[in-house]
Amino acid sequence: MKALIRIALFRNTGFKMLLHGGETPNDDDKDPTQPELQNRAANLDRNHYSQWNLEGRALSALSSFGQNARTTTPTTVSSPNSSWWSRRIQHHQAVIEEPAVVINEKRRTISELLSEKGVKGALFVMGEVLFITRPLIYVLFIRRYGIRSWIPWAISLSVDALGMGILSNLKLWGEQSKQIHFSQPERDEIRRRKLLWALYLMRDPFFTKYTRQKLESSQKRVEPVPLIGFFTEKLVELLVGAQSRYTYISGS
């Protein structure tokens, strides 16, 4: 179910990389050819202007009142104060109407991505789908072969390695003119995914055969040392407890 939700989220975001499994919005525009749209969206987000803003509604009402007054009264010489109010009202009206441009921005489809980026776009989608579906593949093989088998562990690691290899080496494939430029949050996400590989040291059967033995032997060596031996024993107990409850559902 989680994999299906994330695939749907990946599609609905215009095929952008999912940050922290989709929990963090990926709002950074990777396309450097659209600086105007980026700056406009950033300014709107910082200023928090909207048509429901109290000051904006008041100025809009004043603008309507001024327009009605001009239709019913003769033209008079404008004063500096009236010109200042007119410019201020026009500015706020422009800000109020601007969000519609950003909100109505069309999401990119898979055909548009493939048309723009070619082979690199297809490989990017493949790498992201592999990362999303890896936990599902792992669980299915655990149900088939059992948690003590090396097959689920090895296949899960292979899927992770393949997906990460694709995302990390996109520049080596396809046309150089169709590069996919990762934003800083997306580069941080790739580094985070690489760090998650450490969880394979805590998953069975690797944990039972190697990691646990190393932890217990280290704990016995420092056991005679006051205080350090006590804290080391509690740390090993904590890691063993976390291994059975956390490492299988994390890392996705």
Side-chain angles (χ1 to χ4, degrees):
M1 180 62 71
K2 183 190 290 188
L4 294 177
I5 292 174
R6 287 180 175 176
I7 287 177
L9 183 61
F10 179 49
R11 176 180 177 274
N12 291 338
T13 56
F15 298 96
K16 292 183 178 181
M17 182 182 292
L18 297 185
L19 307 181
H20 295 86
E23 296 177 4
T24 302
N26 187 354
D27 295 329
D28 282 12
D29 195 339
K30 299 193 290 291
D31 191 352
T33 63
Q34 297 180 352
E36 183 180 352
L37 183 60
Q38 283 183 321
N39 294 335
R40 181 181 298 178
N43 290 334
L44 288 173
D45 187 51
R46 284 194 298 267
N47 294 329
H48 296 287
Y49 281 121
S50 70
Q51 61 182 358
W52 304 112
N53 180 275
L54 181 60
E55 185 180 3
R57 287 199 304 249
L59 290 169
S60 180
L62 285 172
S63 174
S64 300
F65 175 78
Q67 290 175 357
N68 293 335
R70 283 195 296 270
T71 60
T72 57
T73 59
T75 304
T76 59
V77 178
S78 61
S79 64
N81 287 338
S82 63
S83 266
W84 180 83
W85 270 105
S86 176
R87 288 195 302 269
R88 185 170 175 82
I89 289 170
Q90 290 174 359
H91 169 72
H92 279 270
Q93 283 179 330
V95 172
I96 290 171
E97 293 171 359
E98 238 175 346
V101 177
V102 179
I103 293 172
N104 293 331
E105 182 184 358
K106 185 180 178 181
R107 290 192 180 97
R108 183 169 55 182
T109 64
I110 184 65
S111 59
E112 291 172 345
L113 175 64
L114 297 178
S115 175
E116 293 172 9
K117 303 300 182 181
V119 175
K120 294 181 186 292
L123 289 172
F124 169 74
V125 173
M126 183 187 301
E128 196 67 9
V129 169
L130 284 173
F131 176 77
I132 293 171
T133 58
R134 195 277 312 166
L136 176 61
I137 296 171
Y138 185 41
V139 169
L140 291 177
F141 275 92
I142 285 178
R143 290 175 63 89
R144 175 66 178 83
Y145 295 99
I147 202 169
R148 303 295 179 183
S149 172
W150 282 99
I151 295 177
W153 187 90
I155 290 178
S156 177
L157 179 59
S158 300
V159 171
D160 255 341
L162 178 60
M164 185 55 59
I166 291 173
L167 293 178
S168 299
N169 298 283
L170 279 176
K171 60 183 179 182
L172 302 179
W173 291 293
E175 302 177 25
Q176 294 301 316
S177 60
K178 295 184 177 181
Q179 286 285 357
I180 292 181
H181 302 278
F182 292 129
S183 64
Q184 185 58 47
E186 289 171 336
R187 290 194 291 269
D188 293 340
E189 172 67 14
I190 291 176
R191 285 193 288 268
R192 184 189 76 88
R193 294 180 185 183
K194 290 179 179 178
L195 291 175
L196 291 176
W197 285 15
L199 291 174
Y200 283 98
L201 302 177
M202 300 295 293
R203 290 173 180 153
D204 280 327
F206 191 95
F207 178 80
T208 301
K209 293 184 178 295
Y210 300 103
T211 308
R212 185 167 185 170
Q213 293 179 7
K214 293 293 184 181
L215 289 173
E216 290 176 348
S217 63
S218 300
Q219 186 264 325
K220 288 178 180 178
R221 279 197 294 268
V222 300
E223 188 175 9
V225 182
L227 200 61
I228 295 178
F230 172 77
F231 283 112
T232 303
E233 179 183 2
K234 296 303 178 184
L235 177 61
V236 171
E237 291 177 1
L238 180 63
L239 289 174
V240 171
Q243 185 272 337
S244 61
R245 294 177 176 84
Y246 175 73
T247 58
Y248 296 100
I249 60 174
S250 62
S252 60

